[in-house]
Amino acid sequence: MKKILALALCGAMALGLAACGGGSSQGGGEAAEAKPINVCLASEPATLDPHLNSAVDGATLCAHLFSGLAKWDQNDEGVLEIVPDCATELPEGVVNADGTVTYTYTLRDGLTWSDGQPLTAKDFEFAWNRAASPALAADYNYMLEVVKGYNEMWETDADGNLVNPDAKLAVTAVDDKTLEVTLNNAISYWNELLAFPSYYPVREDVVANEAWATDPSTYVNNGAYTMTKWDHNSLITLTKNENYVDADQVKMPEINFYLSDDANNMLTNFENGDWQLIDDVPTNEIAALKDKYPEEFHVDGQLGTYYVCWNVNEDILPADSGLEGTEAEKAREEIRNAISLLFDRNYIVESVAQGGQVPASSFVAMGLTDADGSQFYQNAGSSADFDGYYNVAADALESNYNTAMETLKKYYAFDDASGKFTNFPTMTYLYNTSEGHKAIAEYLQSVLAGVGITMNLENQEWNTFLDTRKAGNFSIARNGWLADYNDPISFLDMWTTASGNNDVQLGKGANVDVKAYSIDLTDLGYDTKVENGTWAETYDVVISDIKSCTDMEKRYALMHKAEDLLMSTGTICPLYFYTDLYMLDDSVQGYFQNPLGYKYFMYCEY
Amino acid sequence: MNPKTLKYIVKRLILAVFTVWVVITVTFFIMHAVPGGPFVGEKAVSEAAQKAMEAKYGLDKPLFAQYTTYLKDVVLHLDFGPSLKQRGRDVIDIITDGLKTSAKLGLIAAFLALIIGVVLGAIAALRRNTFFDRVIMVLTTALISMPSFIMGTLLLVAFAIKMHMLPANGSTAAGLILPVITLMLYPMSYITRLTRSSMLDVLGQDYVRTAKAKGVSRLRIIFGHALKNALIPVITYFGPMLAYIVTGSLVVEQIFAVPGIGRAFVNSITNRDYTLIMGTTIILATFIVIMNLVSDILYKVVDPRITLE
């Protein structure tokens, strides 16, 4: 017995020593050449298959590992642009008789995979069909929605079964170097899509192994780097790919992506000088860090909006309002819009969220551009005095409050003595469990309590929350949206009746027959003019018009009209535009990131 | 081994298998009853895509059929299936990766708890009613009453955030220090108290008095007679301690972001990664059941007076 115990103890001791010994060795030794850069974006990525990935940190890794027809680049003036990558150039499309548009790309000479095999147009043809396919069922399959053939691929019968299991996209490898693709109609962001991971090439024989993207030994790619190490939950190392066609332009020899989502840990390593870029910082340290590291603390836009959404079918009118149908819905629209005016977005940003966010007055986020390249959100709404649909300036708070109270007094009993409404139905605010969301929820709750509206708070665990919100089992809920590409449609098509993201339930449930929506597109040359129609007759029509519109100016005008209609319902109460906070060692040169938040280290030196 | 003991062990083994089966069954059906699913995200996937995924992983079949298929795969082929969330990775790979880290963490914690606990307990018993004894008793009582999530958070705030002495993240070797301390304090305190009381008990026994009367040296009495017998209850605590460490690691790994099996388990639930939930549950349940069994058998081995029935 003694022996067994002794053995067990020795074993434990040996393991303990091994544990202490591991990990302390380091690459040391000052290299005369460029040093590898150490960065930390997030914890273990769910996947590094560019087609299955749907996370920003995963996309950053894929952008270093793969090369599509186009890529994001920074020109000498520091302006971001989309430039050809695998393609020799990015030509204009040819409009066909049926309104579809065909693009023909020529691949550059000398393209190879990281294992040395030549890369051909066939690889792109295979890859795009894979990325879009129901067989892969990637989260981002809809990124290829614009390509002809996608809709047939996903067409389902009444039971939800696929009608055309063998459908293919209209993308053809004419020969080894020529790729032809046809889009349903012209779109302004096509070149940007070509730089999106869903459009990266993958090779058929490589991805036949389902586990190909989980280990460096099976990972075959065509970009600036190859994956040389993946210690799960700890570190991914990318090493410069000498087979990459533009290898001479790549300056950074090696990138270490440390896998952690612990902001305190990130900060410690950044301050030690071990890591050169960290993509998160502890919220309670933001203010101090801004002062301490003015050159190294960065706040970038993020194409996203944090907002509160109402369930359109939740009746918030007092029991004795006597209103019904269209009138009732119009009253609710007015009430919801009035409540949106009560909140002080500057306070939320500065005192609650504290992450350098920007107060939002529209749903389409800051950073998305309009037809003329200006900010879409600045042209939203009808007021010349402020951007968007409300004035979110600090000095407008009082007038906003007065306007809101005036509107609410039309519908609810108001007690002058207490300054509160007495018959507003009690509501529940649903949010997913998180300290940050809770703090905002409590602020909203306190504002409403101030005018006599009781709003209870309920938090749910993330997955349950998504389920509840999607099913419309809530009255008000926290919500947020980040765009996948720089086009306002990425914010607008989610509210069509059939969309899976239509959490507000517009055009669904009781709202399906409500005729309270109006749209007039005649000034843009369309026949559509609906006075008091249903959501499907109005919003769905504008969105489908936008999707088939080939005139850029008109298309953006349509998108403004769609947002006007959406915002008039009052079901969306934007609070702030998301920002991306990160810290970057100021000795690092050549770093840039794109509007989607992908970070580029290949041209870095320090 | 006598036939009675053998019969007992066989009986316990059957019971263990039954226990694990119950755990599998209950977890399987409760897991599917919880709202949400593995393919749900902030951005909705289309219904057709959802269906395609469900078909791919057999989630479109009736629940009971899924259950029997799963049971068959696990029992007959030891196949835990692919992860639904980390596509391309098998559950068994994720578990193996996590187990390596967790085993390191758990074994160091168990080892330290045992050594420190026995030493402190023995000293406290020998210095009974002195200041030292009192301090140890007060401290261990406090530590036993403090849940690991509070202890872990306190240590994290103090040593990692305020003093910047140790990393907050448990994915490196130095980062394991705080989780190890958090995890070992409870069993260490327990062992200290256990050793102390059983040592006091033994020291009062006739044979110790006889040894003293015979003029045996103090060291020999302590190590040769007293400690040896005083450790019997400690050995039997080994099983429950390892079980505690396994369950405690669920919390501790989460607090310190240690990439172990406990964290994989918690994350798998958040992600509704059904196959990973089942895989980790089965591994952890089996481990705990085995540890309890081993502990009972050890009891018999170290103390022949005990009969197993």
Side-chain angles (χ1 to χ4, degrees):
Chain A
M1 184 58 223
K2 253 192 249 166
K3 270 186 196 157
I4 297 178
L5 257 186
L7 266 177
L9 291 183
C10 286
M13 231 184 307
L15 269 166
L17 287 175
C20 300
S24 60
S25 68
Q26 232 160 32
E30 278 300 302
E33 294 280 292
K35 291 176 281 185
I37 192 168
N38 300 319
V39 302
C40 182
L41 306 179
S43 55
E44 171 101 350
T47 175
L48 283 185
D49 182 325
H51 298 162
L52 290 175
N53 171 65
S54 58
V56 174
D57 51 301
T60 293
L61 279 148
C62 289
H64 288 84
L65 289 162
F66 284 90
S67 149
L69 289 183
K71 67 176 175 189
W72 285 90
D73 206 356
Q74 192 178 29
N75 69 15
D76 295 338
E77 281 89 53
V79 177
L80 286 181
E81 53 187 13
I82 300 278
V83 298
D85 197 0
C86 281
T88 52
E89 56 178 347
L90 301 173
E92 289 294 314
V94 178
V95 181
N96 304 313
D98 59 354
T100 58
V101 187
T102 301
Y103 292 86
T104 309
Y105 296 97
T106 309
L107 300 189
R108 292 168 65 181
D109 293 323
L111 297 179
T112 56
W113 291 98
S114 55
D115 63 356
Q117 284 201 35
L119 183 149
T120 68
K122 269 261 172 257
D123 294 322
F124 276 96
E125 182 188 317
F126 164 76
W128 292 9
N129 274 297
R130 172 184 188 257
S133 69
L136 190 72
D139 285 355
Y140 270 160
N141 68 73
Y142 62 81
M143 293 303 288
L144 292 105
E145 181 189 41
V146 294
V147 180
K148 195 178 155 194
Y150 175 90
N151 294 333
E152 288 71 29
M153 208 178 229
W154 283 93
E155 197 182 331
T156 50
D157 59 20
D159 299 330
N161 297 316
L162 294 165
V163 180
N164 310 305
D166 300 321
K168 290 260 180 270
L169 297 180
V171 47
T172 327
V174 180
D175 57 48
D176 276 0
K177 292 197 126 355
T178 315
L179 188 74
E180 205 176 82
V181 54
T182 302
L183 308 192
N184 292 323
N185 51 274
I187 51 165
S188 59
Y189 54 99
W190 173 240
N191 285 344
E192 205 177 299
L193 284 182
L194 291 178
F196 195 84
S198 297
Y199 285 82
Y200 288 157
V202 294
R203 207 169 73 206
E204 191 166 3
D205 62 304
V206 172
V207 300
N209 169 10
E210 277 218 36
W212 77 278
T214 59
D215 194 87
S217 63
T218 48
Y219 202 88
V220 178
N221 54 305
N222 75 326
Y225 291 83
T226 53
M227 196 202 317
T228 42
K229 187 175 184 180
W230 188 350
D231 284 345
H232 287 283
N233 294 303
S234 164
L235 172 69
I236 294 176
T237 301
L238 306 189
T239 307
K240 185 173 168 179
N241 175 10
E242 296 301 340
N243 285 331
Y244 177 52
V245 66
D246 282 329
D248 55 326
Q249 290 170 26
V250 175
K251 291 183 174 149
M252 179 51 62
E254 193 171 286
I255 313 169
N256 293 312
F257 290 90
Y258 286 89
L259 307 175
S260 163
D261 52 9
D262 179 338
N264 285 303
N265 181 42
M266 287 190 199
L267 184 59
T268 309
N269 280 293
F270 180 82
E271 293 195 307
N272 289 346
D274 290 341
W275 294 352
Q276 282 73 46
L277 180 136
I278 54 169
D279 204 14
D280 198 6
V281 292
T283 313
N284 53 6
E285 305 237 17
I286 289 174
L289 290 171
K290 259 189 237 174
D291 287 343
K292 197 169 166 194
Y293 302 101
E295 298 298 315
E296 304 189 305
F297 186 90
H298 297 268
V299 179
D300 263 32
Q302 215 186 4
L303 302 189
T305 307
Y306 187 105
Y307 64 102
V308 172
C309 73
W310 293 76
N311 182 346
V312 72
N313 292 320
E314 176 80 8
D315 200 357
I316 47 170
L317 288 166
D320 57 355
S321 73
L323 296 172
E324 271 178 34
T326 305
E327 274 191 334
E329 183 52 31
K330 296 228 167 184
R332 282 192 288 264
E333 288 184 352
E334 235 187 316
I335 294 163
R336 289 188 291 247
N337 271 318
I339 289 178
S340 289
L341 287 175
L342 291 173
F343 305 123
D344 181 355
R345 291 162 175 79
N346 292 292
Y347 178 81
I348 294 179
V349 167
E350 282 155 22
S351 305
V352 187
Q354 296 185 359
Q357 296 90 345
V358 177
S361 58
S362 63
F363 180 58
V364 176
M366 183 179 76
L368 287 107
T369 45
D370 214 322
D372 59 359
S374 63
Q375 289 281 327
F376 189 88
Y377 86 98
Q378 290 178 332
N379 307 329
S382 54
S383 171
D385 302 331
F386 50 83
D387 301 334
Y389 297 87
Y390 338 94
N391 189 352
V392 292
D395 56 12
L397 199 60
E398 199 178 326
S399 69
N400 282 347
Y401 179 84
N402 294 338
T403 316
M405 292 304 279
E406 223 168 279
T407 309
L408 293 176
K409 279 178 194 169
K410 286 201 289 188
Y411 299 102
Y412 300 96
F414 187 71
D415 177 31
D416 281 314
S418 62
K420 288 180 175 177
F421 294 101
T422 52
N423 62 344
F424 201 103
T426 298
M427 302 182 292
T428 303
Y429 182 82
L430 182 71
Y431 64 98
N432 55 301
T433 315
S434 126
E435 284 306 312
H437 299 323
K438 186 178 169 200
I440 290 177
E442 283 169 349
Y443 167 74
L444 303 177
Q445 183 185 40
S446 72
V447 169
L448 293 182
V451 296
I453 301 174
T454 307
M455 184 170 82
N456 299 321
L457 304 185
E458 182 188 346
N459 72 86
Q460 289 183 350
E461 172 268 341
W462 175 240
N463 223 302
T464 311
F465 167 76
L466 289 177
D467 204 58
T468 314
R469 196 177 64 184
K470 200 175 294 295
N473 296 326
F474 68 98
S475 40
I476 316 181
R478 185 240 128 204
N479 216 325
W481 189 256
L482 286 164
D484 302 318
Y485 45 93
N486 176 10
D487 190 284
I489 193 70
S490 57
F491 270 85
L492 297 171
D493 70 352
M494 60 189 278
W495 300 112
T496 54
T497 309
S499 162
N501 290 307
N502 181 359
D503 297 336
V504 167
Q505 316 293 315
L506 289 158
K508 294 200 223 180
N511 189 249
V512 68
D513 298 319
V514 173
K515 291 177 175 287
Y517 309 104
S518 304
I519 191 101
D520 182 2
L521 305 180
T522 49
D523 56 335
L524 294 170
Y526 288 86
D527 297 335
T528 316
K529 183 174 181 180
V530 182
E531 196 79 40
N532 289 339
T534 63
W535 190 250
E537 288 163 359
T538 52
Y539 195 81
D540 291 2
V541 173
V542 196
I543 296 298
S544 86
D545 284 344
I546 294 168
K547 290 200 170 176
S548 61
C549 181
T550 50
D551 179 328
M552 285 305 147
E553 294 259 333
K554 228 186 236 183
R555 191 167 167 278
Y556 278 89
L558 285 170
M559 290 198 282
H560 276 299
K561 281 187 187 271
E563 195 188 13
D564 291 348
L565 176 56
L566 175 68
M567 292 303 290
S568 74
T569 66
T571 49
I572 308 285
C573 168
L575 295 181
Y576 60 72
F577 297 132
Y578 281 111
T579 46
D580 177 22
L581 294 182
Y582 62 95
M583 297 193 66
L584 174 67
D585 191 309
D586 58 3
S587 61
V588 175
Q589 306 288 319
Y591 169 83
F592 68 94
Q593 65 177 55
N594 78 5
L596 303 174
Y598 305 179
K599 297 177 157 53
Y600 292 84
F601 303 106
M602 51 260 269
Y603 310 118
C604 286
E605 285 176 298
Y606 77 106
Chain B
M1 200 180 285
N2 71 43
K4 221 170 164 188
T5 315
L6 196 67
K7 201 175 142 202
Y8 172 79
I9 292 177
V10 170
K11 210 165 86 185
R12 283 295 305 265
L13 275 175
I14 293 170
L15 196 66
V17 171
F18 177 74
T19 311
V20 173
W21 172 76
V22 170
V23 169
I24 293 177
T25 309
V26 171
T27 311
F28 189 90
F29 288 102
I30 288 186
M31 169 181 91
H32 280 280
V34 174
F39 313 124
V40 178
E42 177 98 64
K43 292 185 178 168
V45 288
S46 67
E47 214 168 302
Q50 177 103 14
K51 278 201 155 185
M53 290 294 282
E54 282 172 359
K56 188 180 164 90
Y57 292 107
L59 299 176
D60 53 342
K61 306 214 169 56
L63 197 54
F64 195 75
Q66 289 182 43
Y67 168 72
T68 48
T69 314
Y70 184 78
L71 218 50
K72 226 184 279 168
D73 283 348
V74 169
V75 176
L76 299 182
H77 312 290
L78 280 178
D79 177 8
F80 292 97
S83 160
L84 305 184
K85 210 68 187 184
Q86 300 176 43
R87 283 180 70 176
R89 290 196 80 194
D90 281 332
V91 166
I92 197 72
D93 290 342
I94 299 173
I95 291 181
T96 316
D97 265 2
L99 265 183
K100 281 183 205 153
T101 311
S102 294
K104 209 178 345 182
L105 177 67
L107 286 175
I108 300 174
F111 173 70
L112 291 178
L114 197 66
I115 297 294
I116 303 176
V118 167
V119 170
L120 284 184
I123 297 178
L126 295 170
R127 300 261 182 282
R128 189 181 177 187
N129 290 335
T130 60
F131 177 71
F132 182 80
D133 179 29
R134 298 263 159 76
V135 170
I136 288 183
M137 281 305 102
V138 169
L139 265 182
T140 49
T141 311
L143 290 174
I144 280 179
S145 358
M146 184 150 3
S148 59
F149 64 91
I150 292 184
M151 180 48 79
T153 318
L154 282 179
L155 290 175
L156 183 82
V157 171
F159 291 98
I161 298 176
K162 294 285 176 213
M163 292 193 264
H164 291 288
M165 275 169 61
L166 290 166
N169 186 291
S171 55
T172 57
L176 282 182
I177 296 175
L178 287 180
V180 162
I181 295 176
T182 313
L183 209 48
M184 69 158 226
L185 284 178
Y186 175 85
M188 182 203 82
S189 308
Y190 197 91
I191 291 173
T192 305
R193 298 176 66 90
L194 207 59
T195 312
R196 178 182 180 271
S197 63
S198 110
M199 189 81 171
L200 286 177
D201 187 38
V202 172
L203 286 174
Q205 297 283 331
D206 288 346
Y207 64 87
V208 172
R209 206 176 311 151
T210 310
K212 251 188 223 164
K214 272 166 61 186
V216 179
S217 76
R218 189 171 154 78
L219 276 182
R220 228 199 116 111
I221 292 178
I222 293 171
F223 289 101
H225 300 283
L227 199 56
K228 205 168 121 190
N229 286 307
L231 284 185
I232 290 174
V234 175
I235 289 165
T236 58
Y237 176 62
F238 224 83
M241 173 173 76
L242 286 178
Y244 164 83
I245 283 177
V246 169
T247 46
S249 71
L250 297 185
V251 175
V252 172
E253 288 182 8
Q254 200 63 23
I255 295 176
F256 295 99
V258 181
I261 192 170
R263 190 154 186 255
F265 182 52
V266 175
N267 288 343
S268 70
I269 296 170
T270 316
N271 288 332
R272 306 288 190 274
D273 193 339
Y274 293 146
T275 43
L276 189 54
I277 296 178
M278 290 309 297
T280 39
T281 308
I282 293 173
I283 299 288
L284 294 179
T286 310
F287 182 78
I288 291 176
V289 166
I290 291 177
M291 276 309 129
N292 281 325
L293 182 61
V294 168
S295 152
D296 284 356
I297 296 171
L298 266 186
Y299 209 63
K300 160 82 186 161
V301 175
V302 293
D303 190 347
R305 286 171 301 177
I306 292 162
T307 46
L308 298 170
E309 286 183 9

